[in-house]
Amino acid sequence: MLRNNGKPRILMLGDAPIYQLEHWNAFQQRAEIVSADLSSRDAFMQSLRDNRYGAFDGIVKFAVETGNAASPWNQELISLLPPSVKLFAAAGAGFDYLDLTALNARGIAFANSRGAGDTATSDIALFLILATFRLTTYAEWGARSGDPQIFDEVHLDITRKARNPNGKTLGCVGLGAIQREIARKAKAFGMHIVYYEVAPPPEEVVRSLEARRADSLLELAREADCVSVSVPYMDSTHHLIDSAFLAAMQPGSRIVNTARGPVIDEAALVAALQSGHLFSAGLDVHEFEPRVSEELIQMKQVTLTTHIGGVAQETYEGFETLVMSNTERFLLDGQALETPVGKQFPSPLST
């Protein structure tokens, strides 16, 4: 496990930490860091075939936005990793770029950085929820027109259409850590919480939110004034929100997505909004991002952002910390991972 210099060798994808520099300096004293050649996916795969990095013990990825040229991490790529690799620790909560089953089958543990972006993502979700009720994007368009007549027309139009979230029902698709924060903050608006979650959340969480479980997704759709989507993206959640779900929603209701774009069938969403069945939507993520639907762009009752749910300095600080601490625990200190995903393995130092 330890190399000739007494340190594990760690392959780094993308940029080094830029915030947690004190921790990073200490981390480099304990591990040998090798930067991956990510000029292209083919170049990276060839470097693995050529054994350019030698036997390395772990892979780290400190930022969501960098180190992505190797993706997708599918069976073809994972099969090229040396047998010495025991850990992949990455920034971000999502892992849809990774074939987790194939990684685990090679005996490689995976740790994400869940929790670091919960506050930032739930804040954006609350902004989007409020925007769908109060039509703030439409209002901003009117103000930015610089035209007094348009200003007055938009003001009067919104007067007839805007609603307060107070007393309305928020339907939570998923009740994981981020959604719990969304629900907790939505209660400050005076909203009621109904949720659907395959894995039952802790009873104390449900009790604190005064939340009620819907028996099915369609039941949740029928009861919610606004739906908040916050689930991991995987095969089972692709187009989880489809035309049947949208049709079951109340006429004039709203939907917000801070999960992943393909969780919602975008074509079905566009149709529901165009028909007027859905009143408005708030989308931080998009099915084909970075391309945004032209139809959605034209809709003034739709708020669109650029996948900024977790984009805050505090989030990135947390990403860096968790990637390093998971690696230290697992490869250096013989401890279990702090944020494991998929099959859980004991530290190679404990066997």
Side-chain angles (χ1 to χ4, degrees):
M1 175 73 196
L2 295 180
R3 304 300 159 198
N4 293 333
N5 58 8
K7 302 177 181 180
R9 177 176 290 146
I10 307 296
L11 186 68
M12 182 173 68
L13 308 176
D15 294 344
I18 60 174
Y19 295 111
Q20 305 291 29
L21 297 182
E22 184 175 346
H23 193 171
W24 173 233
N25 289 334
F27 185 81
Q28 291 179 91
Q29 297 301 310
R30 302 187 67 191
E32 178 186 356
I33 311 300
V34 180
S35 293
D37 175 6
L38 293 177
S39 55
S40 69
R41 188 171 193 268
D42 288 343
F44 179 63
M45 293 175 68
Q46 190 59 49
S47 67
L48 292 174
R49 293 188 189 97
D50 295 340
N51 196 29
R52 187 181 307 172
Y53 311 114
F56 55 94
D57 307 288
I59 303 166
V60 293
K61 185 175 183 297
F62 291 108
V64 172
E65 290 82 4
T66 71
N68 298 317
S71 295
W73 282 73
N74 56 13
Q75 173 64 41
E76 180 187 21
L77 173 55
I78 291 169
S79 68
L80 300 176
L81 296 174
S84 56
V85 180
K86 299 301 178 186
L87 174 66
F88 188 158
F95 48 93
D96 44 293
Y97 59 89
L98 176 73
D99 186 336
L100 188 57
T101 301
L103 193 76
N104 289 165
R106 288 290 306 274
I108 302 172
F110 180 73
N112 67 357
S113 303
R114 64 182 180 274
D118 289 3
T119 295
T121 304
S122 61
D123 285 348
I124 288 295
L126 262 290
F127 159 73
L128 293 173
I129 290 168
L130 187 58
T132 64
F133 278 96
R134 298 295 302 275
L135 297 178
T136 57
T137 293
Y138 183 23
E140 184 172 6
W141 172 84
R144 287 183 180 276
S145 71
D147 186 321
Q149 182 177 345
I150 291 176
F151 184 104
D152 286 340
E153 288 174 353
V154 170
H155 173 84
L156 291 173
D157 195 23
I158 290 178
T159 299
R160 294 186 289 268
K161 295 176 178 178
R163 298 290 186 273
N164 286 328
N166 179 59
K168 305 299 192 299
T169 296
L170 180 68
C172 297
V173 178
L175 200 63
I178 294 174
Q179 189 79 282
R180 294 170 196 176
E181 274 295 284
I182 295 170
R184 184 182 68 81
K185 293 170 181 177
K187 283 181 64 63
F189 286 161
M191 300 191 77
H192 308 297
I193 308 300
V194 61
Y195 73 95
Y196 179 78
E197 173 64 86
V198 176
E203 183 57 38
E204 61 270 20
V205 170
V206 176
R207 190 165 49 248
S208 69
L209 295 173
E210 300 178 286
R212 186 178 59 78
R213 185 184 187 276
D215 291 332
S216 67
L217 271 177
L218 291 184
E219 179 185 325
L220 179 142
R222 287 190 288 267
E223 296 190 14
D225 297 291
C226 180
V227 167
S228 169
V229 183
S230 183
V231 293
Y233 179 62
M234 55 190 76
D235 289 343
S236 61
T237 59
H238 180 79
H239 285 186
L240 180 68
I241 307 303
D242 57 11
S243 57
F245 181 96
L246 296 169
M249 291 178 68
Q250 300 177 37
S253 52
R254 305 147 184 83
I255 192 165
V256 165
N257 188 10
T258 54
R260 287 293 188 271
V263 173
I264 295 182
D265 182 341
E266 192 170 272
L269 176 62
V270 168
L273 287 162
Q274 287 176 334
S275 72
H277 180 69
L278 281 191
F279 178 65
S280 58
L283 307 172
D284 182 46
V285 290
H286 311 273
E287 184 166 2
F288 304 104
E289 65 182 58
R291 185 170 65 81
V292 178
S293 161
E294 288 295 331
E295 292 88 350
L296 292 172
I297 289 171
Q298 300 304 316
M299 296 180 187
K300 298 182 179 67
Q301 79 277 29
V302 174
T303 297
L304 305 169
T305 51
T306 56
H307 201 149
I308 58 168
V311 179
Q313 181 175 322
E314 292 83 355
T315 299
Y316 294 122
E317 290 170 354
F319 285 168
E320 293 176 359
T321 294
L322 277 169
V323 171
M324 287 186 279
S325 62
N326 271 311
T327 304
E328 290 166 336
R329 289 171 63 94
F330 197 72
L331 296 182
L332 294 166
D333 301 328
Q335 299 176 21
L337 291 169
E338 187 173 349
T339 52
V341 180
K343 184 177 180 181
Q344 299 191 33
F345 296 87
S347 165
L349 298 182
S350 65
T351 58

